[in-house]
């Protein structure tokens, strides 16, 4: 189940990876309770500035950044990808361990997320996942924090989603609801849930499984 908010390399492994630590002079340390964030970017700098602004307000102590590459021979995409990467490297001005993973060729979002999250969950037990066009509110991070903790050992809940696509006419009681359908526009999950992910399932099989539940 998914918990939703109720308010409306030839195969190209990441070839460039490095970690950096940033700290503000005289600044307070980031809270150890803050959930690590995995951020997946490509070349949308206008959106990315807003996403980074929201992350800056949350001030996680650990940030994983996965940057997909450009299509071969596309100089404009290459330039835009580098602009996005430079933006991320300049954005962190609070105490934070930042892991940067840059790919030199285009993998596509699905492959980028699958490989990236497998690396993330090899290092941390839970994370909030954002893409470069998922602009969040402060309430989103608190919602993820609270429910990652609340359902950490509940095998019936596999992820936390900040999206809500239920029609206004559908009555929902409480701040959240459970659903069988996952959404990935701002979400969070655990290592124990990601271990069950199978990206090879055909969409038809996945749809049949969901409808049977």
């Amino acid at each position: 189940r998914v918990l939703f908010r109720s308010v409306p390399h030839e195969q190209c492994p990441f070839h460039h990876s490095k970690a950096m630590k940033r700290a503000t002079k005289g600044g307070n340390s980031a809270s150890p309770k803050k959930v690590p964030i995995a951020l997946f970017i490509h070349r949308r700098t206008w959106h990315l500035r807003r996403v980074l602004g929201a992350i800056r307000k949350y001030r996680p102590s650990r940030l994983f950044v996965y940057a997909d590459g450009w299509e071969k021979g596309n100089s404009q995409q290459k330039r835009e990808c580098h602009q996005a990467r430079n933006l991320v490297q300049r954005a962190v001005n609070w105490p934070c361990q930042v892991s940067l993973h840059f790919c030199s060729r285009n993998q596509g979002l699905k492959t980028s997320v699958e490989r990236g999250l497998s690396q993330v969950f090899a290092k941390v037990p839970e994370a909030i996942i954002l893409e470069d066009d998922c602009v969040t509110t402060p309430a989103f991070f608190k919602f993820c924090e609270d429910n990652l903790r609340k359902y950490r050992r509940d095998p019936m809940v596999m992820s936390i989603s900040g999206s809500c696509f239920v029609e206004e006419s559908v009555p929902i009681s409480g701040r959240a609801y459970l659903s069988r359908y996952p959404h990935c526009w701002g979400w969070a999950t655990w290592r124990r849930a990601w271990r069950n992910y199978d990206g090879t399932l055909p969409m038809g099989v996945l749809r049949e499984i969901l409808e049977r539940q």
Side-chain angles (χ1 to χ4, degrees):
R1 294 294 188 271
V2 182
L3 186 74
F4 287 89
R5 289 190 66 195
S6 60
V7 292
H9 269 259
E10 292 307 312
Q11 297 180 339
C12 192
F14 291 97
H15 85 289
H16 171 72
S17 174
K18 66 178 181 178
M20 64 180 183
K21 291 185 178 181
R22 292 284 180 83
T24 54
K25 293 183 179 179
N28 295 325
S29 298
S31 169
K33 296 181 180 179
K34 297 294 180 69
V35 179
I37 291 179
L39 174 63
F40 292 86
I41 72 171
H42 189 212
R43 55 190 180 95
R44 293 178 285 200
T45 54
W46 186 86
H47 298 86
L48 180 58
R49 283 189 181 91
R50 301 177 64 196
V51 176
L52 290 169
I55 293 174
R56 188 180 296 115
K57 292 179 181 178
Y58 179 60
R59 295 168 63 88
S61 58
R62 192 153 192 184
L63 175 64
F64 299 87
V65 181
Y66 290 87
D68 199 3
W70 49 91
E71 296 176 359
K72 186 177 181 180
N74 192 320
S75 59
Q76 180 177 343
Q77 280 193 10
K78 182 177 181 179
R79 182 173 60 256
E80 292 172 345
C81 285
H82 281 297
Q83 289 173 347
R85 297 171 187 194
N86 290 336
L87 185 61
V88 169
Q89 292 183 86
R90 297 194 306 266
V92 179
N93 60 0
W94 70 94
C96 182
Q97 181 180 348
V98 184
S99 299
L100 302 174
H101 306 265
F102 297 162
C103 189
S104 61
R105 61 184 68 173
N106 187 262
Q107 304 179 104
L109 181 60
K110 181 177 184 293
T111 300
S112 179
V113 171
E114 288 175 345
R115 290 178 174 169
L117 288 185
S118 292
Q119 292 180 15
V120 168
F121 289 120
K123 299 178 183 299
V124 297
E126 58 193 24
I128 294 171
I129 300 101
L130 295 172
E131 296 172 31
D132 57 8
D133 62 346
C134 296
V135 183
T136 67
T137 67
F140 164 77
F141 294 111
K142 183 67 164 57
F143 179 79
C144 289
E145 274 188 354
D146 291 348
N147 289 291
L148 282 170
R149 181 172 58 253
K150 181 177 180 179
Y151 296 100
R152 186 170 290 149
R153 294 176 178 82
D154 188 338
M156 293 298 292
V157 179
M158 302 299 282
S159 65
I160 312 295
S161 177
S163 305
C164 180
F165 299 100
V166 175
E167 296 181 3
E168 293 183 3
S169 59
V170 178
I172 300 175
S173 60
R175 296 180 59 248
Y177 66 95
L178 289 169
S179 172
R180 71 186 69 171
Y181 300 104
H183 289 298
C184 58
W185 289 352
W187 60 295
T189 191
W190 307 266
R191 176 192 292 150
R192 56 97 175 158
W194 185 251
R195 285 172 176 164
N196 296 315
Y197 173 78
D198 184 356
T200 66
L201 282 177
M203 186 57 66
V205 174
L206 181 60
R207 186 178 297 111
E208 181 181 345
I209 292 172
L210 290 171
E211 295 301 331
R212 279 207 312 260
Q213 299 301 312

